[in-house]
């Protein structure tokens, strides 16, 4: 069984539509794929409508969080997408991305870069707008050669010249919301140092005590030493260890199924979710 628990579509900053993504996942020989767009579940209906028979879709989202000033991402799986409190929080985070992206365009204009909001909005389409869309606009007008090159202090990296922060959820609140909606919570790429500051191990322990289910370990942004260290953390804290591609279509270099999750871990995630689902408002289950 090949299981990839973290991918993005055009519902956020991936470049494949949800339909294209599930077809490619099946063609890549995956048995299970999770669609985890940033702060939204809106790609799920399309993915489910055309889901190849041999593929299982894990519904999910990647929630933008911040702890003590450090941005972090929380993967939420198999929650009730209609549960009102979590839905409202996702909408808040997603809606705030628009004025924030406009703010980054304004900063770029002040730096003499002739990018427009219309251009970014066209690239983002109806997906949650994010820095990768702004980065694609910068590639389009020849300011940087690749999307990755826009994530520097000169441009869009955390604290960079054109960076604007967005609303991000407290991760302890995120855990409460995910659990109350019957979902399972996995801390995405917890040690992805090239993206900026990361949270200390003590914070992972605090999150584990607050109900965190797992951490994503096998990920392109973790080197071998980091993975070994994180396996130790997961063992010590009793956390599930996942692996995934964080596929973004052509906006990133990784391919579907580049890293995968152990079937036993996947089984445990589904047991935890379906044991609690759907019990809206039950809390903490
Ligand atoms: P945003 O949520 O709008 O702040 O954008 C964050 C997204 O940008 C992440 O989810 C990644 O997909 C992408 N990203 C962050 N850091 C980098 C980087 N160094 N290189 C390429 N993409 C990045
Ligand atoms: Zn992304
Ligand atoms: Fe992420
Ligand atoms: Fe991601």
């Amino acid at each position: 069984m090949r299981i990839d628990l973290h991918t993005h579509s055009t519902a956020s900053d991936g470049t494949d539509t949800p339909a294209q993504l599930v077809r490619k996942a099946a063609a890549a020989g995956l048995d299970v794929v999770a669609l985890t767009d940033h702060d939204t579940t809106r790609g799920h209906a399309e993915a489910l409508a055309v889901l190849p028979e041999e593929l299982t879709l894990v519904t999910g989202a990647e929630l933008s969080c911040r702890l003590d000033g450090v941005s972090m991402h929380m993967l939420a799986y198999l929650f009730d997408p209609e549960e009102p409190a979590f839905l409202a929080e996702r909408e808040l985070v997603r809606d705030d991305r628009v004025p924030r992206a406009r703010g980054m365009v304004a900063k770029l204009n002040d730096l003499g870069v002739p990018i427009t909001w219309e251009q970014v909005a066209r690239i983002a389409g109806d997906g949650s707008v994010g820095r990768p869309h702004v980065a694609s606009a910068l590639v389009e007008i020849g300011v940087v050669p690749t999307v990755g090159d826009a994530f520097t202090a000169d441009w869009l990296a955390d604290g960079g010249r054109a960076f604007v922060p967005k609303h991000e959820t407290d991760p302890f609140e995120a855990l409460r919301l995910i659990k109350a909606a019957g979902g399972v919570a996995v801390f995405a790429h917890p040690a992805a140092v090239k993206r900026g500051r990361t949270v200390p191990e003590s914070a992972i322990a605090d999150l584990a005590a607050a109900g965190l289910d797992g951490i994503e370990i096998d990920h392109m942004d973790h080197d071998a030493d980091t993975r070994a260290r994180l396996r130790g953390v997961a063992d010590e804290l009793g956390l599930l260890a996942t692996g995934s591609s964080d596929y973004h279509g052509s906006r990133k270099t990784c391919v579907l199924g580049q890293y995968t999750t152990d079937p036993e871990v996947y089984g445990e995630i589904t047991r935890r979710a379906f044991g609690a689902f759907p019990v809206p408002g039950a809390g903490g289950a």
Side-chain angles (χ1 to χ4, degrees):
M1 262 240 284
R2 296 187 69 226
I3 301 155
D4 186 344
L5 290 182
H6 183 170
T7 70
H8 297 268
S9 74
T10 51
S12 64
D13 53 9
T15 57
D16 289 336
T17 64
Q20 288 167 334
L21 187 134
V22 292
R23 290 192 186 111
K24 286 187 187 181
L30 289 172
D31 301 285
V32 178
V33 71
L35 180 57
T36 52
D37 277 303
H38 296 288
D39 311 308
T40 185
T41 61
R42 62 175 297 284
H44 294 161
E46 180 185 319
L48 286 166
V50 300
L51 193 68
E53 213 171 283
E54 65 275 25
L55 187 70
T56 298
L57 182 76
V58 171
T59 55
E62 185 177 19
L63 190 64
S64 306
C65 296
R66 190 184 323 163
L67 181 62
D68 297 333
V70 178
S71 290
M72 52 172 282
H73 292 170
M74 188 72 79
L75 290 161
Y77 296 118
L78 299 169
F79 55 87
D80 175 0
E82 314 271 347
E83 192 283 317
F86 189 23
L87 177 61
E89 183 65 17
R90 291 196 303 282
E91 280 174 352
L92 186 67
V93 177
R94 204 174 62 231
D95 291 351
D96 190 56
R97 285 172 164 278
V98 174
R100 180 261 196 154
R102 283 177 172 274
M104 290 192 285
V105 169
K107 281 192 164 187
L108 287 162
N109 291 159
D110 288 345
L111 291 166
V113 176
I115 167 184
T116 65
W117 166 247
E118 286 67 31
Q119 188 192 359
V120 174
R122 170 179 53 76
I123 292 168
D126 50 12
S128 305
V129 63
R131 281 183 284 171
H133 299 118
V134 180
S136 284
L138 292 175
V139 172
E140 241 178 38
I141 61 174
V143 173
V144 290
T146 71
V147 165
D149 290 306
F151 284 86
T152 63
D154 275 347
W155 306 115
L156 301 175
D158 284 12
R161 292 189 303 169
F163 175 72
V164 176
K166 61 182 183 296
H167 174 78
E168 294 173 316
T169 307
D170 174 276
F172 293 94
E173 174 65 6
L175 288 175
R176 282 190 287 275
L177 291 166
I178 294 165
K179 299 283 152 161
V184 173
V186 173
F187 186 171
H189 46 74
V193 285
K194 75 161 199 179
R195 296 175 182 228
R197 289 166 60 208
T198 58
V199 305
E201 275 179 30
S202 60
I204 301 180
D206 293 342
L207 291 165
L212 180 70
D213 293 283
I215 55 177
E216 188 180 52
I217 295 182
D218 290 315
H219 183 282
M220 67 182 302
D221 291 350
H222 293 156
D223 62 22
D225 288 348
T226 301
R227 291 177 205 183
R229 177 173 67 77
L230 288 173
R231 275 184 226 293
V233 171
D235 282 348
E236 191 182 322
L237 298 172
L239 291 167
L240 303 172
T242 68
S244 42
S245 65
D246 203 351
Y247 175 75
H248 279 72
S250 62
R251 228 174 240 120
K252 272 196 190 171
T253 54
C254 56
V255 297
L256 279 164
Q258 184 161 339
Y259 299 102
T260 55
T261 294
D262 188 289
E264 283 182 23
V265 170
Y266 166 63
E268 181 60 22
I269 288 172
T270 58
R271 267 191 295 283
R272 290 185 191 187
F274 297 128
F277 182 88
V279 212

